[in-house]
Amino acid sequence: MAPSRPTIKDVAARAGVSKSLVSLAMRAPDRVSPARLTSIRAAADALGYRPNAAARNLADRRSFTIGVLVQDLHNPISAEVIDGVQRQVRASGYHTMLVTGSADADLERGEIEKLLEFQVEGLIIIGHRMPAGARAAVDGECPTVIISRAETGILGLDSISNDDVCGARMAVNHLYDLGHRRIAHITGGSNQVALLRRAGYEAAMNSHGLTANIACYEGAFTDDGGYRGTRLALASPSKHSAIFVANDLAAVGALAAIAENGRQVPEDVSVIGYDGMALGALRSIGLTTIAQPLASMGADAADLLLQRIGDPSRPPAHVNLEPRLIARTTTSAVSR
Amino acid sequence: MAPSRPTIKDVAARAGVSKSLVSLAMRAPDRVSPARLTSIRAAADALGYRPNAAARNLADRRSFTIGVLVQDLHNPISAEVIDGVQRQVRASGYHTMLVTGSADADLERGEIEKLLEFQVEGLIIIGHRMPAGARAAVDGECPTVIISRAETGILGLDSISNDDVCGARMAVNHLYDLGHRRIAHITGGSNQVALLRRAGYEAAMNSHGLTANIACYEGAFTDDGGYRGTRLALASPSKHSAIFVANDLAAVGALAAIAENGRQVPEDVSVIGYDGMALGALRSIGLTTIAQPLASMGADAADLLLQRIGDPSRPPAHVNLEPRLIARTTTSAVSR
DNA sequence: ACGCTTGATTGGACCGTTCCAATTTGGGGG
DNA sequence: CCCCCAAATTGGAACGGTCCAATCAAGCGT
């Protein structure tokens, strides 16, 4: 019932040649005579031959595959980064093997282990968390690039990130240019990324001479975090005319808090987020935001990785891409 | 520089035993004497030994891997389905290899081909489009389950879907129970899924004796599609008090159209979507919806696949899961 | 015609495992 | 003590490819 897939040997037999020639025909068609080539090809698809990757990888001692660990598949941001990675990886004749991380560090480690067992030639980690166990395992064994916003070059790995400090300044500058002075910040918690964005906010405020107006409210990178932080901000005596929220998801939460408070966006309060997730572009939301160049980050990561595969001794590089402002409808000039 | 990974042979040498014993120790530790086991293990991790999956798969003639093709990674729905698949697949000792489809049918076909070369033991396709070229390739070669809302058993494949007709009726019934009678439907276009939902809407309207009130407006499964369809609906002379939109994304577009029209949700118009995407749960949106049991669909698909792997001759099964209503804030009793 | 170069083809070793038949060990019972 | 059996261990043949050195088959210039 299970005639098990035909092998190169079967093809050879049917075409009346040696298996070596079949192998050659597959890899370098121009090195076998046209006549043989034809009959080999005929035999191959008469039999429905499909090369066995395991055997090929074993013999080649390489897999032409690069592994991608996505820590949070639910984050819509991941999809875009993956697109970028795939496009670039494919263009170089490599193939991609995707694996999802999870809160469970052991599972995550297991996934990486699998990837390594499969002899991936490189690893791309998408997410801002360095898989704990994986670090050691990966280190020095397999070229790795981490796409994240944090851990800037702390490890000896290549990394790609967006420039959070710069992005945060862009956000503040945008509001400043619109005439806002009482600009509050809803933080994203105490993780690396959130701290950088906060630092950028403070730096920009300072450079505009608005040191006295700096006001940070505790939030988180979630709908709820933004909602709660914003309630705090609205309750404060200082009447903020604009709010820079640590990420888009939280900014959407901020919108809810503002509406609940009976104020209008952007008439009473302007809101700007960070990330550029597709969600913000929806008509009902129209969130102004600082967009990370997600696809580029993916593509650059792939480039970096391929370079390192080519030259493992190259010193680790850290690429920090500049995000860009997308002005939509949640920000407007301050009203007198 | 590249000492290339140690093999089972290196471990054997270092532990002073034969490679066969090392192999055995890895697979069935209890069949090796404790003393040897200890020294083998010591040698293994002194060397940082990691089994070579290619070699193992070759020798075993199986991969313990199942391939997953995700047609639209950007659709947040995919992530949840994948979660379900992974959980179940892992529980059975299998491993998952994820691959993304794309608009380009050739690329998609290529990805499936790769999966098959890797000797995956089964295939799960997430998406409502049957990868054109893949169909033939896959057919009869590799157990396959398709998770989709359409193609109900048309193919000889196992499939999982949610019951769109039933879900649409639930949506209408919910509105009906709230006292609504002038219920409009914004369609999702002319694809299979959209048609089923529309059919469910019409059936429900009929069974409530509201045949005369049936009103479908052309839309699409996008933010914009919902927006446009809803504008049509609002412009019509029949004053609809409630709108059932073909999916959540479009429902969010509907919300925008309604707001733009100066009406309130749910006071003036109730809105209900379909899918249950996470987005709808955001505070700013609070969309009432018919939620597909995404994780269950994934898990069931995995189960089905594993069953079929166990018994390839089992006749194809089609599981149609019932969705459930999640009432949030975009629907309320009709106001007199 | 003839040795030669060149291109086409082949046989067999090898990649890192698993598996099985065969061999070695280690006691226990008589 | 020796014999026998079970448990522990080993050697070598697959698995399905790739690659290389060796063999074969043509042309070609002189």
Side-chain angles (χ1 to χ4, degrees):
Chain A
M1 221 13 7
S4 85
R5 309 274 76 237
T7 77
I8 203 176
K9 209 179 294 182
D10 300 317
V11 176
R14 189 176 225 269
V17 300
S18 71
K19 67 181 175 39
S20 302
L21 194 59
V22 176
S23 170
L24 194 59
M26 298 292 168
R27 295 171 288 128
D30 52 315
R31 299 187 49 192
V32 317
S33 67
R36 305 293 202 166
L37 189 54
T38 316
S39 64
I40 288 176
R41 287 204 165 137
D45 48 61
L47 259 37
Y49 170 71
R50 189 192 327 282
N52 179 323
R56 175 164 3 99
N57 293 347
L58 181 56
D60 280 350
R61 254 148 315 182
R62 56 179 306 189
S63 60
F64 279 104
T65 296
I66 77 117
V68 180
L69 171 71
V70 193
Q71 294 190 322
D72 183 8
L73 198 53
H74 291 84
N75 188 160
I77 281 182
S78 305
E80 289 188 55
V81 177
I82 293 172
D83 277 349
V85 170
Q86 304 239 43
R87 184 161 24 78
Q88 206 62 18
V89 165
R90 280 190 187 128
S92 314
Y94 278 75
H95 182 246
T96 259
M97 193 162 157
L98 207 58
V99 128
T100 69
S102 52
D104 183 339
D106 278 342
L107 271 184
E108 198 162 271
R109 185 192 173 91
E111 292 295 335
I112 291 199
E113 200 65 21
K114 279 289 181 210
L115 248 20
L116 294 175
E117 288 183 10
F118 264 102
Q119 315 287 101
V120 295
E121 299 181 32
L123 214 49
I124 292 183
I125 297 177
I126 301 178
H128 45 284
R129 197 169 76 246
M130 180 65 194
R135 201 215 133 49
V138 159
D139 202 25
E141 285 200 39
C142 179
T144 302
V145 175
I146 177 161
I147 301 182
S148 110
R149 312 91 160 209
E151 327 232 15
T152 312
I154 299 177
L155 322 153
L157 303 175
D158 294 281
S159 75
I160 300 274
S161 52
N162 97 91
D163 191 333
D164 288 296
V165 174
C166 163
R169 304 177 94 117
M170 292 171 66
V172 173
N173 291 346
H174 171 63
L175 296 171
Y176 184 89
D177 291 345
L178 287 171
H180 295 278
R181 294 299 178 269
R182 313 190 76 82
I183 304 172
H185 175 51
I186 310 298
T187 74
S190 55
N191 61 76
Q192 182 70 263
V193 176
L195 295 179
L196 288 174
R197 292 182 184 174
R198 177 182 183 150
Y201 159 77
E202 291 174 345
M205 291 297 276
N206 284 328
S207 73
H208 284 307
L210 298 176
T211 311
N213 291 359
I214 290 179
C216 294
Y217 299 91
E218 182 93 8
F221 279 158
T222 60
D223 182 43
D224 196 55
Y227 172 80
R228 297 227 292 259
T230 303
R231 279 174 57 121
L232 259 40
L234 297 176
S236 107
S238 30
K239 303 255 329 165
H240 304 293
S241 69
I243 300 181
F244 163 42
V245 190
N247 82 348
D248 285 351
L249 200 52
V252 175
L255 259 23
I258 295 170
E260 191 178 293
N261 194 266
R263 310 205 202 172
Q264 297 287 316
V265 170
E267 295 76 4
D268 302 326
V269 189
S270 280
V271 172
I272 183 169
Y274 200 118
D275 273 356
M277 47 188 266
L279 160 59
L282 295 180
R283 283 199 151 85
S284 295
I285 301 188
L287 184 67
T288 292
T289 191
I290 301 297
Q292 297 192 49
L294 301 170
S296 306
M297 289 169 70
D300 285 2
D303 279 341
L304 228 48
L305 186 64
L306 293 167
Q307 277 174 35
R308 172 163 296 282
I309 289 175
D311 170 15
S313 66
R314 185 172 59 61
H318 175 64
V319 178
N320 206 13
L321 294 171
E322 199 170 295
R324 73 176 213 287
L325 171 75
I326 298 183
R328 287 196 278 245
T329 61
T330 57
T331 49
S332 69
V334 66
S335 52
R336 278 296 99 193
Chain B
M1 222 14 8
S4 85
R5 310 274 76 237
T7 77
I8 205 176
K9 209 179 294 181
D10 300 316
V11 176
R14 190 175 222 271
V17 300
S18 72
K19 66 181 176 37
S20 301
L21 194 59
V22 177
S23 168
L24 194 59
M26 297 293 168
R27 295 170 289 126
D30 53 317
R31 300 187 48 193
V32 174
S33 68
R36 305 293 203 165
L37 188 54
T38 317
S39 63
I40 289 176
R41 287 202 166 139
D45 46 62
L47 259 38
Y49 169 71
R50 188 194 326 284
N52 178 324
R56 175 164 1 100
N57 292 348
L58 181 57
D60 278 350
R61 252 148 317 181
R62 55 179 306 190
S63 61
F64 280 104
T65 296
I66 78 117
V68 180
L69 171 71
V70 193
Q71 295 189 321
D72 184 8
L73 198 54
H74 290 84
N75 188 159
I77 280 181
S78 304
E80 289 186 55
V81 177
I82 293 172
D83 277 350
V85 169
Q86 304 239 43
R87 183 161 26 77
Q88 206 63 17
V89 165
R90 279 189 188 130
S92 314
Y94 278 75
H95 183 244
T96 259
M97 193 162 157
L98 206 58
V99 128
T100 69
S102 52
D104 183 339
D106 278 341
L107 272 184
E108 197 162 271
R109 187 194 171 89
E111 292 294 334
I112 291 198
E113 201 64 21
K114 279 291 182 209
L115 248 21
L116 294 175
E117 287 184 10
F118 263 102
Q119 315 287 102
V120 295
E121 299 183 30
L123 215 48
I124 293 183
I125 296 177
I126 302 179
H128 45 284
R129 195 168 78 245
M130 180 64 195
R135 199 212 135 49
V138 160
D139 201 26
E141 284 199 41
C142 179
T144 301
V145 175
I146 178 162
I147 302 183
S148 111
R149 312 90 162 211
E151 326 234 15
T152 313
I154 298 175
L155 323 152
L157 303 175
D158 294 280
S159 74
I160 301 274
S161 52
N162 97 90
D163 191 333
D164 288 296
V165 175
C166 163
R169 304 177 93 119
M170 292 172 66
V172 173
N173 291 346
H174 170 63
L175 295 170
Y176 184 89
D177 291 346
L178 288 171
H180 295 278
R181 294 297 178 268
R182 314 190 77 82
I183 304 172
H185 175 52
I186 310 297
T187 73
S190 55
N191 60 76
Q192 183 70 262
V193 176
L195 295 179
L196 289 174
R197 292 183 184 174
R198 175 180 185 151
Y201 159 77
E202 292 175 343
M205 291 296 276
N206 284 328
S207 72
H208 284 306
L210 298 176
T211 310
N213 291 358
I214 289 180
C216 294
Y217 298 92
E218 183 92 8
F221 279 159
T222 60
D223 182 43
D224 195 56
Y227 172 80
R228 298 227 291 258
T230 304
R231 278 173 59 119
L232 259 40
L234 296 176
S236 107
S238 29
K239 304 253 328 162
H240 303 294
S241 70
I243 301 181
F244 162 44
V245 191
N247 81 347
D248 284 352
L249 200 53
V252 174
L255 258 25
I258 295 170
E260 191 178 293
N261 195 266
R263 309 205 203 173
Q264 298 286 318
V265 171
E267 295 77 3
D268 303 326
V269 190
S270 280
V271 173
I272 182 169
Y274 200 117
D275 274 356
M277 49 188 266
L279 162 58
L282 296 179
R283 284 200 150 87
S284 295
I285 302 187
L287 183 67
T288 292
T289 192
I290 301 297
Q292 297 192 47
L294 301 170
S296 306
M297 289 169 70
D300 285 3
D303 279 341
L304 228 48
L305 185 63
L306 293 168
Q307 278 174 34
R308 172 163 298 282
I309 289 175
D311 171 15
S313 66
R314 184 172 58 60
H318 175 65
V319 177
N320 206 11
L321 295 171
E322 199 170 295
R324 74 177 211 286
L325 172 75
I326 299 183
R328 287 196 278 246
T329 61
T330 56
T331 49
S332 68
V334 67
S335 52
R336 280 295 98 191

